[in-house]
Amino acid sequence: MGISMLFFFYNLYKTHRKGEKVGNDPWGGRTLEWTVASPSPEQTFSPMPVVEEMDPFWYAKLRNERIKTTKEHRASPISRNSILPFLMTITLGLMSFCMIYKWYVPAIIFGAGVFTFFIIRAFHDERAKHYGKEQTEDE
């Protein structure tokens, strides 16, 4: 196994140093993620592609045309700092730990905590502060 890891690290080194840079779609993909640069930007699809058929990128390539895009679309999610995902992770980890040792009462309590965090996250609109309440109510 150690010798195989040497081959792996050699391959990483060789690829990093002398590897040919590839574009967005090196394998002729079908789906929309192949239209995005790598590494992907935070605003993934700008402008937003119009999806009128299954695999619009593939069919656009077959017809030798560009994907239809629009500026009229719903607001995209905003990345912002939040403690809720961290709390959900810790609580889920504690619940799992309790289940390993068959401590069912604390596991149920932590499970209820995870469920509560999911409910809070579902009903808390994080975009309202950035977009204004009138835009988020339209969705």
Side-chain angles (χ1 to χ4, degrees):
M1 282 182 12
I3 292 172
S4 68
M5 292 308 293
L6 291 175
F7 285 112
F8 173 72
F9 286 120
Y10 172 72
N11 189 11
L12 281 178
Y13 172 77
K14 185 177 173 185
T15 304
H16 180 69
R17 284 288 188 197
K18 300 174 185 173
E20 181 180 323
K21 303 295 182 196
V22 295
N24 299 345
D25 187 18
W27 293 296
R30 297 180 68 103
T31 54
L32 290 174
E33 63 264 16
W34 294 107
T35 64
V36 179
S38 180
S40 61
E42 189 164 332
Q43 297 296 329
T44 309
F45 295 108
S46 184
M48 185 68 68
V50 176
V51 179
E52 296 174 334
E53 58 194 348
M54 188 171 181
D55 295 332
F57 180 53
W58 179 257
Y59 290 116
K61 286 195 300 187
L62 290 177
R63 292 188 293 256
N64 290 326
E65 55 187 43
R66 296 179 60 96
I67 296 177
K68 296 178 190 175
T69 58
T70 182
K71 296 282 185 186
E72 301 290 324
H73 59 85
R74 68 180 186 189
S76 60
I78 295 176
S79 63
R80 66 180 275 288
N81 295 332
S82 174
I83 190 86
L84 279 175
F86 176 73
L87 292 175
M88 289 165 62
T89 304
I90 295 298
T91 310
L92 192 60
L94 290 171
M95 183 191 81
S96 302
F97 182 78
C98 290
M99 290 298 288
I100 289 172
Y101 291 103
K102 298 181 183 179
W103 300 336
Y104 295 120
V105 174
I108 291 170
I109 293 169
F110 287 126
V114 170
F115 186 69
T116 303
F117 288 134
F118 273 115
I119 297 296
I120 291 170
R121 183 115 170 130
F123 289 109
H124 179 66
D125 191 0
E126 297 173 345
R127 299 172 299 160
K129 195 173 10 173
H130 296 282
Y131 289 130
K133 198 64 176 169
E134 66 279 351
Q135 289 181 338
T136 58
E137 288 177 354
D138 293 340
E139 299 174 15

